[in-house]
Structure formats: structure tokens, C-alpha cells
Amino acid sequence: MGELAQARTEPKGLLRITAPYDYGTSVIVPLVTAFTARYSDCKVELNLSDKMIDLIADNMDIAIRGGWLADSSLQARRIGSFRQFLVGPPQLADKIAELNDPADLPSLRFVTNTALREPLEWTFTRGGDRETRTVRFKPDIAINATPAVMEAVKQGGGLSVLPDFLATADVSNGRLIHILPEWHLPSGGVYTVYPAARFRPPKVSAFVDMLTDALKRQLLFPL
């Protein structure tokens, strides 16, 4: 009886996941590799898209979503967070050095991420929210995928806002400049989202446990 119960709770079968292209490539792909190595009876199909996938229509077991969730009938759980950086290319270092306040930012070129719900208006805060500036940028280049936005910035296309899990390494090695770092943009959440159900298959629970544990131990990126 014990062996039968264990077999019923052992993760197995095809796990279908959807995630945003940027977070999926940077975070979920390495985790999928570790997951399939640990659970040899599991296979994973990962759908990377910045469009909102219909979990039920597309027969997905779980979605990983970032930012700010809209109300829906789906079940969601917040498992982490990320910061957002305003960044620019070294080619604009002289102009960036002249910036003193977020109000000065619209004078520079901007690469818009059209995958975001509000890609042009950003609110900056400083000193524990004692100072606030809301800036509206004018798009010079518009791109619908975050990694491509980052590449456009690195090539000198202008400024943009990028999540820390993509931008931190390039800021550290000088390929990107963190602009006005004393001013902060809103942090976003990382969520697991499921179709409404009374029972979660072991494969889903096991994957979420691995992701949550990795985030807590900061193996993927710092919260």
C-alpha cells in the first residue's frame, strides 16, 4: 500500500508551462533542466511568450507571470519579486552624467517595450517615497520583446526600463549604465498561476517547490 501511494505522488508525465520570454529564458529554462534531471519520469513543454496565454484553451498546467496581475478566475500565488532599472548605453555616458532628476529624462532617446501594459509612463521615488516624479517618455524605437529591447539599448538606441534579472550582469560589467540609481521604480511580483482546480498533480507541485526554493535561496536572482 505504501509503494502504491508513493507512486501516485511521484511526479511524472508531461508538464506544460508558459512564461514570459525574458523571465522564461533567464530563470525558467535553467530550472526546467534541473527539474527533468531530478524527475526522470517527467517531460516539460515550455511555451515562452509575452502574450497572455489562455491556460485552459491551450491546456497549460501552470503559468509563470511577472509584474502586476489583473483580476481573473485563475488561481495565483506570489513566490518572488524583481526590481526595475532605468538603463542606458555607454555611448550616451556623457549625456547620462548630466542628468540630475527624472524630469530631465525625456530629452534622451527611449526604447519602448510594447509588451508592457503601460510602457511609456514611469513613476520614480526617492527617500522612502518622500519624493515622487512621474515621467512620460516619447518612443524612438518600439519593440515587443524585453531581450530585444535590452539589445537595442546596448547598441545605443536609447534608454529603457529593464528587470533586474536581465540587466544586473550588464550593469555590473559596464555594458549598461544604471541611470539615477538613487531614484527607484516600482518592484514587480513573480507569480505562479493555475487553472481553477481542486487537485494539483504532483508534477506541478514539485516544479513550484523547486522554483520557490531556488528563489528563497537566491540561486536565480536576488529578491
Side-chain angles (χ1 to χ4, degrees), residues 15-20 45 47 49 51-65 69-70 72-77 191-197 200 204 208:
L15 178 63
R16 305 187 78 230
I17 307 168
T18 181
E45 182 178 304
N47 182 323
S49 175
K51 295 181 179 179
M52 195 66 70
I53 299 296
D54 187 320
L55 271 64
I56 297 173
D58 291 295
N59 195 29
M60 292 291 169
D61 294 300
I62 183 172
I64 311 299
R65 289 179 177 163
L69 290 185
S72 76
S73 61
L74 302 174
Q75 298 176 351
R77 172 187 168 195
Y191 300 86
T192 53
V193 182
Y194 319 88
R200 298 277 168 236
V204 174
V208 173

PDB file of all heavy atoms in Angstrom, residues 15-20 45 47 49 51-65 69-70 72-77 191-197 200 204 208:
ATOM      1  N   LEU A  15       4.646  18.075 -18.276  1.00  0.00           N
ATOM      2  CA  LEU A  15       4.328  19.327 -17.590  1.00  0.00           C
ATOM      3  C   LEU A  15       4.390  20.455 -18.603  1.00  0.00           C
ATOM      4  O   LEU A  15       5.427  20.701 -19.206  1.00  0.00           O
ATOM      5  CB  LEU A  15       5.332  19.577 -16.460  1.00  0.00           C
ATOM      6  CG  LEU A  15       5.166  20.883 -15.682  1.00  0.00           C
ATOM      7  CD1 LEU A  15       3.826  20.917 -14.958  1.00  0.00           C
ATOM      8  CD2 LEU A  15       6.323  21.071 -14.702  1.00  0.00           C
ATOM      9  N   ARG A  16       3.258  21.140 -18.779  1.00  0.00           N
ATOM     10  CA  ARG A  16       3.179  22.216 -19.771  1.00  0.00           C
ATOM     11  C   ARG A  16       3.171  23.556 -19.037  1.00  0.00           C
ATOM     12  O   ARG A  16       2.298  23.840 -18.229  1.00  0.00           O
ATOM     13  CB  ARG A  16       1.931  22.049 -20.644  1.00  0.00           C
ATOM     14  CG  ARG A  16       1.863  20.680 -21.318  1.00  0.00           C
ATOM     15  CD  ARG A  16       0.721  20.579 -22.327  1.00  0.00           C
ATOM     16  NE  ARG A  16       1.084  21.241 -23.573  1.00  0.00           N
ATOM     17  CZ  ARG A  16       0.305  22.131 -24.192  1.00  0.00           C
ATOM     18  NH1 ARG A  16      -0.855  22.473 -23.683  1.00  0.00           N
ATOM     19  NH2 ARG A  16       0.703  22.671 -25.332  1.00  0.00           N
ATOM     20  N   ILE A  17       4.191  24.375 -19.356  1.00  0.00           N
ATOM     21  CA  ILE A  17       4.421  25.642 -18.655  1.00  0.00           C
ATOM     22  C   ILE A  17       4.441  26.773 -19.679  1.00  0.00           C
ATOM     23  O   ILE A  17       4.973  26.626 -20.784  1.00  0.00           O
ATOM     24  CB  ILE A  17       5.773  25.626 -17.918  1.00  0.00           C
ATOM     25  CG1 ILE A  17       5.891  24.407 -17.004  1.00  0.00           C
ATOM     26  CG2 ILE A  17       5.981  26.918 -17.140  1.00  0.00           C
ATOM     27  CD1 ILE A  17       7.301  24.193 -16.480  1.00  0.00           C
ATOM     28  N   THR A  18       3.908  27.919 -19.308  1.00  0.00           N
ATOM     29  CA  THR A  18       4.088  29.120 -20.111  1.00  0.00           C
ATOM     30  C   THR A  18       4.702  30.204 -19.227  1.00  0.00           C
ATOM     31  O   THR A  18       4.420  30.277 -18.021  1.00  0.00           O
ATOM     32  CB  THR A  18       2.772  29.621 -20.733  1.00  0.00           C
ATOM     33  OG1 THR A  18       3.033  30.788 -21.527  1.00  0.00           O
ATOM     34  CG2 THR A  18       1.739  29.960 -19.669  1.00  0.00           C
ATOM     35  N   ALA A  19       5.569  31.011 -19.816  1.00  0.00           N
ATOM     36  CA  ALA A  19       6.264  32.064 -19.078  1.00  0.00           C
ATOM     37  C   ALA A  19       6.619  33.186 -20.047  1.00  0.00           C
ATOM     38  O   ALA A  19       6.722  32.957 -21.256  1.00  0.00           O
ATOM     39  CB  ALA A  19       7.529  31.515 -18.423  1.00  0.00           C
ATOM     40  N   PRO A  20       6.815  34.411 -19.537  1.00  0.00           N
ATOM     41  CA  PRO A  20       7.290  35.498 -20.405  1.00  0.00           C
ATOM     42  C   PRO A  20       8.648  35.144 -21.002  1.00  0.00           C
ATOM     43  O   PRO A  20       9.435  34.418 -20.385  1.00  0.00           O
ATOM     44  CB  PRO A  20       7.400  36.696 -19.450  1.00  0.00           C
ATOM     45  CG  PRO A  20       6.546  36.344 -18.288  1.00  0.00           C
ATOM     46  CD  PRO A  20       6.610  34.857 -18.152  1.00  0.00           C
ATOM     47  N   GLU A  45       7.154  20.803 -21.521  1.00  0.00           N
ATOM     48  CA  GLU A  45       6.930  21.613 -22.727  1.00  0.00           C
ATOM     49  C   GLU A  45       6.790  23.052 -22.255  1.00  0.00           C
ATOM     50  O   GLU A  45       5.854  23.398 -21.532  1.00  0.00           O
ATOM     51  CB  GLU A  45       5.658  21.159 -23.439  1.00  0.00           C
ATOM     52  CG  GLU A  45       5.373  21.916 -24.733  1.00  0.00           C
ATOM     53  CD  GLU A  45       4.122  21.405 -25.424  1.00  0.00           C
ATOM     54  OE1 GLU A  45       4.071  20.185 -25.697  1.00  0.00           O
ATOM     55  OE2 GLU A  45       3.203  22.206 -25.662  1.00  0.00           O
ATOM     56  N   ASN A  47       6.363  27.021 -23.139  1.00  0.00           N
ATOM     57  CA  ASN A  47       5.884  27.990 -24.127  1.00  0.00           C
ATOM     58  C   ASN A  47       6.284  29.380 -23.652  1.00  0.00           C
ATOM     59  O   ASN A  47       5.770  29.878 -22.657  1.00  0.00           O
ATOM     60  CB  ASN A  47       4.357  27.883 -24.253  1.00  0.00           C
ATOM     61  CG  ASN A  47       3.786  28.836 -25.297  1.00  0.00           C
ATOM     62  OD1 ASN A  47       4.247  29.955 -25.452  1.00  0.00           O
ATOM     63  ND2 ASN A  47       2.756  28.393 -25.993  1.00  0.00           N
ATOM     64  N   SER A  49       6.288  33.281 -24.212  1.00  0.00           N
ATOM     65  CA  SER A  49       5.541  34.289 -24.958  1.00  0.00           C
ATOM     66  C   SER A  49       5.261  35.475 -24.046  1.00  0.00           C
ATOM     67  O   SER A  49       4.961  35.303 -22.859  1.00  0.00           O
ATOM     68  CB  SER A  49       4.213  33.719 -25.469  1.00  0.00           C
ATOM     69  OG  SER A  49       3.442  34.729 -26.104  1.00  0.00           O
ATOM     70  N   LYS A  51       2.800  37.359 -24.757  1.00  0.00           N
ATOM     71  CA  LYS A  51       1.347  37.495 -24.839  1.00  0.00           C
ATOM     72  C   LYS A  51       0.710  36.682 -23.715  1.00  0.00           C
ATOM     73  O   LYS A  51       1.267  35.698 -23.242  1.00  0.00           O
ATOM     74  CB  LYS A  51       0.833  36.999 -26.197  1.00  0.00           C
ATOM     75  CG  LYS A  51       1.308  37.838 -27.377  1.00  0.00           C
ATOM     76  CD  LYS A  51       0.738  37.311 -28.687  1.00  0.00           C
ATOM     77  CE  LYS A  51       1.187  38.171 -29.854  1.00  0.00           C
ATOM     78  NZ  LYS A  51       0.650  37.659 -31.154  1.00  0.00           N
ATOM     79  N   MET A  52      -0.481  37.092 -23.301  1.00  0.00           N
ATOM     80  CA  MET A  52      -1.191  36.386 -22.232  1.00  0.00           C
ATOM     81  C   MET A  52      -1.804  35.121 -22.805  1.00  0.00           C
ATOM     82  O   MET A  52      -2.757  35.167 -23.581  1.00  0.00           O
ATOM     83  CB  MET A  52      -2.275  37.284 -21.635  1.00  0.00           C
ATOM     84  CG  MET A  52      -2.799  36.788 -20.308  1.00  0.00           C
ATOM     85  SD  MET A  52      -1.565  36.841 -18.987  1.00  0.00           S
ATOM     86  CE  MET A  52      -1.390  38.609 -18.740  1.00  0.00           C
ATOM     87  N   ILE A  53      -1.233  33.977 -22.443  1.00  0.00           N
ATOM     88  CA  ILE A  53      -1.711  32.689 -22.916  1.00  0.00           C
ATOM     89  C   ILE A  53      -2.938  32.267 -22.108  1.00  0.00           C
ATOM     90  O   ILE A  53      -2.972  32.403 -20.884  1.00  0.00           O
ATOM     91  CB  ILE A  53      -0.605  31.623 -22.787  1.00  0.00           C
ATOM     92  CG1 ILE A  53       0.612  32.006 -23.636  1.00  0.00           C
ATOM     93  CG2 ILE A  53      -1.114  30.242 -23.184  1.00  0.00           C
ATOM     94  CD1 ILE A  53       0.352  32.040 -25.116  1.00  0.00           C
ATOM     95  N   ASP A  54      -3.952  31.738 -22.786  1.00  0.00           N
ATOM     96  CA  ASP A  54      -5.134  31.194 -22.118  1.00  0.00           C
ATOM     97  C   ASP A  54      -4.788  29.795 -21.605  1.00  0.00           C
ATOM     98  O   ASP A  54      -4.627  28.863 -22.396  1.00  0.00           O
ATOM     99  CB  ASP A  54      -6.311  31.146 -23.091  1.00  0.00           C
ATOM    100  CG  ASP A  54      -7.614  30.739 -22.420  1.00  0.00           C
ATOM    101  OD1 ASP A  54      -7.599  29.843 -21.557  1.00  0.00           O
ATOM    102  OD2 ASP A  54      -8.665  31.316 -22.770  1.00  0.00           O
ATOM    103  N   LEU A  55      -4.662  29.647 -20.301  1.00  0.00           N
ATOM    104  CA  LEU A  55      -4.204  28.378 -19.738  1.00  0.00           C
ATOM    105  C   LEU A  55      -5.149  27.235 -20.058  1.00  0.00           C
ATOM    106  O   LEU A  55      -4.702  26.115 -20.319  1.00  0.00           O
ATOM    107  CB  LEU A  55      -4.041  28.504 -18.217  1.00  0.00           C
ATOM    108  CG  LEU A  55      -2.681  28.986 -17.703  1.00  0.00           C
ATOM    109  CD1 LEU A  55      -2.398  30.405 -18.157  1.00  0.00           C
ATOM    110  CD2 LEU A  55      -2.610  28.891 -16.188  1.00  0.00           C
ATOM    111  N   ILE A  56      -6.439  27.501 -20.027  1.00  0.00           N
ATOM    112  CA  ILE A  56      -7.408  26.439 -20.255  1.00  0.00           C
ATOM    113  C   ILE A  56      -7.477  26.084 -21.738  1.00  0.00           C
ATOM    114  O   ILE A  56      -7.390  24.908 -22.116  1.00  0.00           O
ATOM    115  CB  ILE A  56      -8.791  26.858 -19.723  1.00  0.00           C
ATOM    116  CG1 ILE A  56      -8.708  27.068 -18.199  1.00  0.00           C
ATOM    117  CG2 ILE A  56      -9.844  25.799 -20.065  1.00  0.00           C
ATOM    118  CD1 ILE A  56      -9.958  27.636 -17.595  1.00  0.00           C
ATOM    119  N   ALA A  57      -7.598  27.083 -22.604  1.00  0.00           N
ATOM    120  CA  ALA A  57      -7.699  26.821 -24.036  1.00  0.00           C
ATOM    121  C   ALA A  57      -6.450  26.157 -24.584  1.00  0.00           C
ATOM    122  O   ALA A  57      -6.522  25.319 -25.490  1.00  0.00           O
ATOM    123  CB  ALA A  57      -7.989  28.122 -24.792  1.00  0.00           C
ATOM    124  N   ASP A  58      -5.280  26.529 -24.024  1.00  0.00           N
ATOM    125  CA  ASP A  58      -4.016  25.979 -24.503  1.00  0.00           C
ATOM    126  C   ASP A  58      -3.519  24.811 -23.661  1.00  0.00           C
ATOM    127  O   ASP A  58      -2.384  24.357 -23.828  1.00  0.00           O
ATOM    128  CB  ASP A  58      -2.953  27.078 -24.559  1.00  0.00           C
ATOM    129  CG  ASP A  58      -3.241  28.091 -25.647  1.00  0.00           C
ATOM    130  OD1 ASP A  58      -3.214  27.711 -26.824  1.00  0.00           O
ATOM    131  OD2 ASP A  58      -3.518  29.258 -25.315  1.00  0.00           O
ATOM    132  N   ASN A  59      -4.354  24.352 -22.735  1.00  0.00           N
ATOM    133  CA  ASN A  59      -4.076  23.142 -21.957  1.00  0.00           C
ATOM    134  C   ASN A  59      -2.756  23.256 -21.191  1.00  0.00           C
ATOM    135  O   ASN A  59      -1.933  22.330 -21.190  1.00  0.00           O
ATOM    136  CB  ASN A  59      -4.063  21.908 -22.862  1.00  0.00           C
ATOM    137  CG  ASN A  59      -4.143  20.611 -22.078  1.00  0.00           C
ATOM    138  OD1 ASN A  59      -4.723  20.567 -20.997  1.00  0.00           O
ATOM    139  ND2 ASN A  59      -3.560  19.548 -22.617  1.00  0.00           N
ATOM    140  N   MET A  60      -2.552  24.386 -20.529  1.00  0.00           N
ATOM    141  CA  MET A  60      -1.348  24.600 -19.745  1.00  0.00           C
ATOM    142  C   MET A  60      -1.566  24.169 -18.298  1.00  0.00           C
ATOM    143  O   MET A  60      -2.638  24.384 -17.728  1.00  0.00           O
ATOM    144  CB  MET A  60      -0.947  26.087 -19.774  1.00  0.00           C
ATOM    145  CG  MET A  60      -0.473  26.564 -21.126  1.00  0.00           C
ATOM    146  SD  MET A  60       1.126  25.830 -21.550  1.00  0.00           S
ATOM    147  CE  MET A  60       1.247  26.299 -23.284  1.00  0.00           C
ATOM    148  N   ASP A  61      -0.536  23.587 -17.699  1.00  0.00           N
ATOM    149  CA  ASP A  61      -0.610  23.216 -16.291  1.00  0.00           C
ATOM    150  C   ASP A  61      -0.351  24.400 -15.372  1.00  0.00           C
ATOM    151  O   ASP A  61      -0.910  24.493 -14.276  1.00  0.00           O
ATOM    152  CB  ASP A  61       0.415  22.121 -15.978  1.00  0.00           C
ATOM    153  CG  ASP A  61       0.111  20.822 -16.690  1.00  0.00           C
ATOM    154  OD1 ASP A  61      -0.976  20.264 -16.448  1.00  0.00           O
ATOM    155  OD2 ASP A  61       0.961  20.374 -17.486  1.00  0.00           O
ATOM    156  N   ILE A  62       0.520  25.305 -15.819  1.00  0.00           N
ATOM    157  CA  ILE A  62       0.926  26.412 -14.956  1.00  0.00           C
ATOM    158  C   ILE A  62       1.495  27.541 -15.806  1.00  0.00           C
ATOM    159  O   ILE A  62       2.093  27.302 -16.866  1.00  0.00           O
ATOM    160  CB  ILE A  62       1.986  25.934 -13.932  1.00  0.00           C
ATOM    161  CG1 ILE A  62       2.373  27.048 -12.967  1.00  0.00           C
ATOM    162  CG2 ILE A  62       3.208  25.362 -14.619  1.00  0.00           C
ATOM    163  CD1 ILE A  62       3.266  26.575 -11.832  1.00  0.00           C
ATOM    164  N   ALA A  63       1.283  28.773 -15.351  1.00  0.00           N
ATOM    165  CA  ALA A  63       1.907  29.941 -15.963  1.00  0.00           C
ATOM    166  C   ALA A  63       2.776  30.629 -14.928  1.00  0.00           C
ATOM    167  O   ALA A  63       2.423  30.702 -13.747  1.00  0.00           O
ATOM    168  CB  ALA A  63       0.854  30.910 -16.481  1.00  0.00           C
ATOM    169  N   ILE A  64       3.938  31.103 -15.358  1.00  0.00           N
ATOM    170  CA  ILE A  64       4.779  31.965 -14.531  1.00  0.00           C
ATOM    171  C   ILE A  64       4.612  33.367 -15.085  1.00  0.00           C
ATOM    172  O   ILE A  64       4.881  33.616 -16.256  1.00  0.00           O
ATOM    173  CB  ILE A  64       6.264  31.544 -14.588  1.00  0.00           C
ATOM    174  CG1 ILE A  64       6.418  30.041 -14.349  1.00  0.00           C
ATOM    175  CG2 ILE A  64       7.078  32.351 -13.589  1.00  0.00           C
ATOM    176  CD1 ILE A  64       5.917  29.558 -13.013  1.00  0.00           C
ATOM    177  N   ARG A  65       4.144  34.282 -14.253  1.00  0.00           N
ATOM    178  CA  ARG A  65       3.878  35.639 -14.730  1.00  0.00           C
ATOM    179  C   ARG A  65       4.530  36.653 -13.806  1.00  0.00           C
ATOM    180  O   ARG A  65       4.645  36.434 -12.596  1.00  0.00           O
ATOM    181  CB  ARG A  65       2.365  35.882 -14.825  1.00  0.00           C
ATOM    182  CG  ARG A  65       1.739  35.086 -15.974  1.00  0.00           C
ATOM    183  CD  ARG A  65       0.256  35.255 -16.097  1.00  0.00           C
ATOM    184  NE  ARG A  65      -0.246  34.506 -17.260  1.00  0.00           N
ATOM    185  CZ  ARG A  65      -1.517  34.190 -17.447  1.00  0.00           C
ATOM    186  NH1 ARG A  65      -2.423  34.557 -16.557  1.00  0.00           N
ATOM    187  NH2 ARG A  65      -1.881  33.520 -18.525  1.00  0.00           N
ATOM    188  N   LEU A  69      -0.694  41.433 -11.527  1.00  0.00           N
ATOM    189  CA  LEU A  69      -1.723  40.583 -12.110  1.00  0.00           C
ATOM    190  C   LEU A  69      -3.058  41.308 -12.201  1.00  0.00           C
ATOM    191  O   LEU A  69      -3.456  42.033 -11.283  1.00  0.00           O
ATOM    192  CB  LEU A  69      -1.914  39.321 -11.266  1.00  0.00           C
ATOM    193  CG  LEU A  69      -0.778  38.290 -11.276  1.00  0.00           C
ATOM    194  CD1 LEU A  69      -1.207  37.067 -10.484  1.00  0.00           C
ATOM    195  CD2 LEU A  69      -0.407  37.894 -12.695  1.00  0.00           C
ATOM    196  N   ALA A  70      -3.762  41.074 -13.305  1.00  0.00           N
ATOM    197  CA  ALA A  70      -5.142  41.536 -13.425  1.00  0.00           C
ATOM    198  C   ALA A  70      -6.057  40.523 -12.743  1.00  0.00           C
ATOM    199  O   ALA A  70      -5.712  39.348 -12.597  1.00  0.00           O
ATOM    200  CB  ALA A  70      -5.515  41.670 -14.905  1.00  0.00           C
ATOM    201  N   SER A  72      -8.782  37.786 -12.267  1.00  0.00           N
ATOM    202  CA  SER A  72      -9.261  36.722 -13.151  1.00  0.00           C
ATOM    203  C   SER A  72      -9.783  35.579 -12.302  1.00  0.00           C
ATOM    204  O   SER A  72      -9.674  35.586 -11.073  1.00  0.00           O
ATOM    205  CB  SER A  72      -8.144  36.228 -14.080  1.00  0.00           C
ATOM    206  OG  SER A  72      -7.253  35.399 -13.369  1.00  0.00           O
ATOM    207  N   SER A  73     -10.350  34.583 -12.967  1.00  0.00           N
ATOM    208  CA  SER A  73     -10.858  33.405 -12.269  1.00  0.00           C
ATOM    209  C   SER A  73      -9.746  32.397 -11.985  1.00  0.00           C
ATOM    210  O   SER A  73      -9.984  31.382 -11.341  1.00  0.00           O
ATOM    211  CB  SER A  73     -11.952  32.735 -13.110  1.00  0.00           C
ATOM    212  OG  SER A  73     -11.416  32.312 -14.359  1.00  0.00           O
ATOM    213  N   LEU A  74      -8.539  32.675 -12.444  1.00  0.00           N
ATOM    214  CA  LEU A  74      -7.420  31.768 -12.228  1.00  0.00           C
ATOM    215  C   LEU A  74      -6.910  31.883 -10.792  1.00  0.00           C
ATOM    216  O   LEU A  74      -7.112  32.894 -10.122  1.00  0.00           O
ATOM    217  CB  LEU A  74      -6.293  32.079 -13.216  1.00  0.00           C
ATOM    218  CG  LEU A  74      -6.653  31.991 -14.696  1.00  0.00           C
ATOM    219  CD1 LEU A  74      -5.493  32.476 -15.549  1.00  0.00           C
ATOM    220  CD2 LEU A  74      -7.033  30.576 -15.078  1.00  0.00           C
ATOM    221  N   GLN A  75      -6.234  30.851 -10.342  1.00  0.00           N
ATOM    222  CA  GLN A  75      -5.642  30.844  -9.009  1.00  0.00           C
ATOM    223  C   GLN A  75      -4.184  31.252  -9.111  1.00  0.00           C
ATOM    224  O   GLN A  75      -3.453  30.739  -9.964  1.00  0.00           O
ATOM    225  CB  GLN A  75      -5.776  29.457  -8.382  1.00  0.00           C
ATOM    226  CG  GLN A  75      -7.220  29.019  -8.194  1.00  0.00           C
ATOM    227  CD  GLN A  75      -7.343  27.610  -7.663  1.00  0.00           C
ATOM    228  OE1 GLN A  75      -6.362  26.884  -7.582  1.00  0.00           O
ATOM    229  NE2 GLN A  75      -8.556  27.216  -7.296  1.00  0.00           N
ATOM    230  N   ALA A  76      -3.758  32.184  -8.269  1.00  0.00           N
ATOM    231  CA  ALA A  76      -2.399  32.712  -8.354  1.00  0.00           C
ATOM    232  C   ALA A  76      -1.736  32.711  -6.984  1.00  0.00           C
ATOM    233  O   ALA A  76      -2.397  32.824  -5.951  1.00  0.00           O
ATOM    234  CB  ALA A  76      -2.417  34.128  -8.931  1.00  0.00           C
ATOM    235  N   ARG A  77      -0.412  32.600  -7.001  1.00  0.00           N
ATOM    236  CA  ARG A  77       0.381  32.633  -5.775  1.00  0.00           C
ATOM    237  C   ARG A  77       1.655  33.426  -6.039  1.00  0.00           C
ATOM    238  O   ARG A  77       2.377  33.156  -7.000  1.00  0.00           O
ATOM    239  CB  ARG A  77       0.726  31.204  -5.354  1.00  0.00           C
ATOM    240  CG  ARG A  77       1.705  31.096  -4.200  1.00  0.00           C
ATOM    241  CD  ARG A  77       2.096  29.635  -4.001  1.00  0.00           C
ATOM    242  NE  ARG A  77       3.226  29.492  -3.098  1.00  0.00           N
ATOM    243  CZ  ARG A  77       3.944  28.377  -2.982  1.00  0.00           C
ATOM    244  NH1 ARG A  77       3.637  27.315  -3.710  1.00  0.00           N
ATOM    245  NH2 ARG A  77       4.963  28.319  -2.154  1.00  0.00           N
ATOM    246  N   TYR A 191       4.696  35.429 -10.063  1.00  0.00           N
ATOM    247  CA  TYR A 191       3.536  34.642  -9.657  1.00  0.00           C
ATOM    248  C   TYR A 191       3.491  33.308 -10.400  1.00  0.00           C
ATOM    249  O   TYR A 191       3.877  33.224 -11.576  1.00  0.00           O
ATOM    250  CB  TYR A 191       2.236  35.388  -9.971  1.00  0.00           C
ATOM    251  CG  TYR A 191       2.105  36.722  -9.283  1.00  0.00           C
ATOM    252  CD1 TYR A 191       2.639  37.877  -9.859  1.00  0.00           C
ATOM    253  CD2 TYR A 191       1.423  36.837  -8.075  1.00  0.00           C
ATOM    254  CE1 TYR A 191       2.513  39.112  -9.236  1.00  0.00           C
ATOM    255  CE2 TYR A 191       1.287  38.072  -7.448  1.00  0.00           C
ATOM    256  CZ  TYR A 191       1.827  39.208  -8.030  1.00  0.00           C
ATOM    257  OH  TYR A 191       1.702  40.426  -7.417  1.00  0.00           O
ATOM    258  N   THR A 192       2.996  32.307  -9.693  1.00  0.00           N
ATOM    259  CA  THR A 192       2.556  31.082 -10.357  1.00  0.00           C
ATOM    260  C   THR A 192       1.046  31.168 -10.490  1.00  0.00           C
ATOM    261  O   THR A 192       0.347  31.532  -9.538  1.00  0.00           O
ATOM    262  CB  THR A 192       2.943  29.834  -9.541  1.00  0.00           C
ATOM    263  OG1 THR A 192       2.467  29.977  -8.193  1.00  0.00           O
ATOM    264  CG2 THR A 192       4.444  29.642  -9.527  1.00  0.00           C
ATOM    265  N   VAL A 193       0.553  30.853 -11.682  1.00  0.00           N
ATOM    266  CA  VAL A 193      -0.879  30.970 -11.975  1.00  0.00           C
ATOM    267  C   VAL A 193      -1.366  29.631 -12.511  1.00  0.00           C
ATOM    268  O   VAL A 193      -0.712  29.017 -13.357  1.00  0.00           O
ATOM    269  CB  VAL A 193      -1.143  32.087 -13.007  1.00  0.00           C
ATOM    270  CG1 VAL A 193      -2.638  32.244 -13.267  1.00  0.00           C
ATOM    271  CG2 VAL A 193      -0.550  33.409 -12.527  1.00  0.00           C
ATOM    272  N   TYR A 194      -2.520  29.187 -12.012  1.00  0.00           N
ATOM    273  CA  TYR A 194      -3.042  27.871 -12.374  1.00  0.00           C
ATOM    274  C   TYR A 194      -4.502  27.985 -12.822  1.00  0.00           C
ATOM    275  O   TYR A 194      -5.230  28.860 -12.346  1.00  0.00           O
ATOM    276  CB  TYR A 194      -3.026  26.913 -11.174  1.00  0.00           C
ATOM    277  CG  TYR A 194      -1.823  26.977 -10.291  1.00  0.00           C
ATOM    278  CD1 TYR A 194      -1.762  27.872  -9.227  1.00  0.00           C
ATOM    279  CD2 TYR A 194      -0.743  26.127 -10.486  1.00  0.00           C
ATOM    280  CE1 TYR A 194      -0.663  27.928  -8.391  1.00  0.00           C
ATOM    281  CE2 TYR A 194       0.363  26.162  -9.652  1.00  0.00           C
ATOM    282  CZ  TYR A 194       0.398  27.076  -8.608  1.00  0.00           C
ATOM    283  OH  TYR A 194       1.489  27.122  -7.780  1.00  0.00           O
ATOM    284  N   PRO A 195      -4.951  27.062 -13.666  1.00  0.00           N
ATOM    285  CA  PRO A 195      -6.389  26.941 -13.893  1.00  0.00           C
ATOM    286  C   PRO A 195      -7.067  26.524 -12.588  1.00  0.00           C
ATOM    287  O   PRO A 195      -6.471  25.826 -11.775  1.00  0.00           O
ATOM    288  CB  PRO A 195      -6.502  25.829 -14.947  1.00  0.00           C
ATOM    289  CG  PRO A 195      -5.134  25.694 -15.532  1.00  0.00           C
ATOM    290  CD  PRO A 195      -4.174  26.098 -14.463  1.00  0.00           C
ATOM    291  N   ALA A 196      -8.282  26.980 -12.387  1.00  0.00           N
ATOM    292  CA  ALA A 196      -9.006  26.607 -11.172  1.00  0.00           C
ATOM    293  C   ALA A 196      -9.159  25.091 -11.110  1.00  0.00           C
ATOM    294  O   ALA A 196      -9.595  24.453 -12.059  1.00  0.00           O
ATOM    295  CB  ALA A 196     -10.374  27.281 -11.149  1.00  0.00           C
ATOM    296  N   ALA A 197      -8.753  24.499  -9.974  1.00  0.00           N
ATOM    297  CA  ALA A 197      -8.830  23.043  -9.809  1.00  0.00           C
ATOM    298  C   ALA A 197      -8.740  22.706  -8.333  1.00  0.00           C
ATOM    299  O   ALA A 197      -8.133  23.442  -7.548  1.00  0.00           O
ATOM    300  CB  ALA A 197      -7.715  22.344 -10.570  1.00  0.00           C
ATOM    301  N   ARG A 200      -3.894  19.488  -7.508  1.00  0.00           N
ATOM    302  CA  ARG A 200      -2.716  19.798  -8.310  1.00  0.00           C
ATOM    303  C   ARG A 200      -1.913  18.513  -8.503  1.00  0.00           C
ATOM    304  O   ARG A 200      -1.542  17.857  -7.517  1.00  0.00           O
ATOM    305  CB  ARG A 200      -1.840  20.823  -7.596  1.00  0.00           C
ATOM    306  CG  ARG A 200      -2.527  22.147  -7.367  1.00  0.00           C
ATOM    307  CD  ARG A 200      -2.470  23.049  -8.577  1.00  0.00           C
ATOM    308  NE  ARG A 200      -3.376  24.166  -8.375  1.00  0.00           N
ATOM    309  CZ  ARG A 200      -4.365  24.492  -9.199  1.00  0.00           C
ATOM    310  NH1 ARG A 200      -4.573  23.774 -10.282  1.00  0.00           N
ATOM    311  NH2 ARG A 200      -5.137  25.513  -8.936  1.00  0.00           N
ATOM    312  N   VAL A 204       3.178  19.367 -10.966  1.00  0.00           N
ATOM    313  CA  VAL A 204       3.029  20.813 -10.798  1.00  0.00           C
ATOM    314  C   VAL A 204       3.584  21.247  -9.445  1.00  0.00           C
ATOM    315  O   VAL A 204       4.361  22.198  -9.346  1.00  0.00           O
ATOM    316  CB  VAL A 204       1.554  21.228 -10.934  1.00  0.00           C
ATOM    317  CG1 VAL A 204       1.384  22.720 -10.609  1.00  0.00           C
ATOM    318  CG2 VAL A 204       1.044  20.935 -12.345  1.00  0.00           C
ATOM    319  N   VAL A 208       6.818  23.817  -8.743  1.00  0.00           N
ATOM    320  CA  VAL A 208       6.654  25.060  -7.982  1.00  0.00           C
ATOM    321  C   VAL A 208       7.527  25.047  -6.739  1.00  0.00           C
ATOM    322  O   VAL A 208       8.133  26.064  -6.377  1.00  0.00           O
ATOM    323  CB  VAL A 208       5.174  25.270  -7.610  1.00  0.00           C
ATOM    324  CG1 VAL A 208       5.013  26.464  -6.669  1.00  0.00           C
ATOM    325  CG2 VAL A 208       4.346  25.482  -8.874  1.00  0.00           C
TER     326      VAL A 208
END
